[in-house]
Amino acid sequence: MTIPPDDRSFRREMATAYRSGWHFIDLATAIPHSGDSLMVTVFGEPVVVTRDEDEDIRAYRCLRRPRGAPQPVRCAVRYGMIFVNLDQRDHRIPRPEAPAAEIIAATPRSA
């Protein structure tokens, strides 16, 4: 028989294992016009996904504090699907900067 985790360990596991990734929200066609928005709950946090005047899709975390401004959330649209990442840390792999003399322009063989 397994013992269910207590609330504190469950929240810690959710924060470390699941929240730090990119999560599918909906298709971009769900908010087709500028000014349209979509409210979803991601791991217990309300997130508003909206399309602005420039037709860009942005996501904001709704803070529960009074007078709290919406906090931007990293948002990406790939293949017509909207993904959000609630983690504030940057998970990009740092690339070593190559000196300008070592950059070689490659051309395809068919050119």
Side-chain angles (χ1 to χ4, degrees), residues 9-10 17 26 29 34 39-40 42-45 57-58 60 62-63 65-66 76 81 89 95-96 101 105 107:
S9 65
F10 177 72
D26 205 342
T29 56
S34 63
M39 178 117 178
V40 295
V42 181
F43 296 113
E45 291 196 30
I57 295 178
R58 301 187 188 279
Y60 300 95
C62 298
L63 300 178
R65 296 182 295 222
M81 298 180 286
R89 297 173 292 178
R95 290 187 167 176
T107 57

Side-chain angles (χ1 to χ4, degrees), residues 1-91:
M1 179 175 192
T2 61
I3 300 172
D6 62 345
D7 191 41
R8 186 181 316 152
S9 65
F10 177 72
R11 283 184 283 147
R12 183 174 38 237
E13 182 178 341
M14 291 293 283
T16 58
Y18 297 108
R19 291 174 53 118
S20 63
W22 289 93
H23 304 285
F24 172 73
I25 298 297
D26 205 342
L27 297 175
T29 56
I31 46 176
H33 307 292
S34 63
D36 289 348
S37 64
L38 176 69
M39 178 117 178
V40 295
T41 302
V42 181
F43 296 113
E45 291 196 30
V47 175
V48 175
V49 181
T50 184
R51 188 178 291 265
D52 61 7
E53 299 86 27
D54 298 330
E55 298 295 322
D56 293 331
I57 295 178
R58 301 187 188 279
Y60 300 95
R61 178 182 287 139
C62 298
L63 300 178
R64 296 180 184 147
R65 296 182 295 222
R67 293 178 277 150
Q71 181 182 12
V73 175
R74 292 192 295 168
C75 179
V77 178
R78 299 288 184 263
Y79 304 109
M81 298 180 286
I82 303 170
F83 295 89
V84 297
N85 190 337
L86 297 178
D87 196 4
Q88 297 299 317
R89 297 173 292 178
D90 194 5
H91 291 286

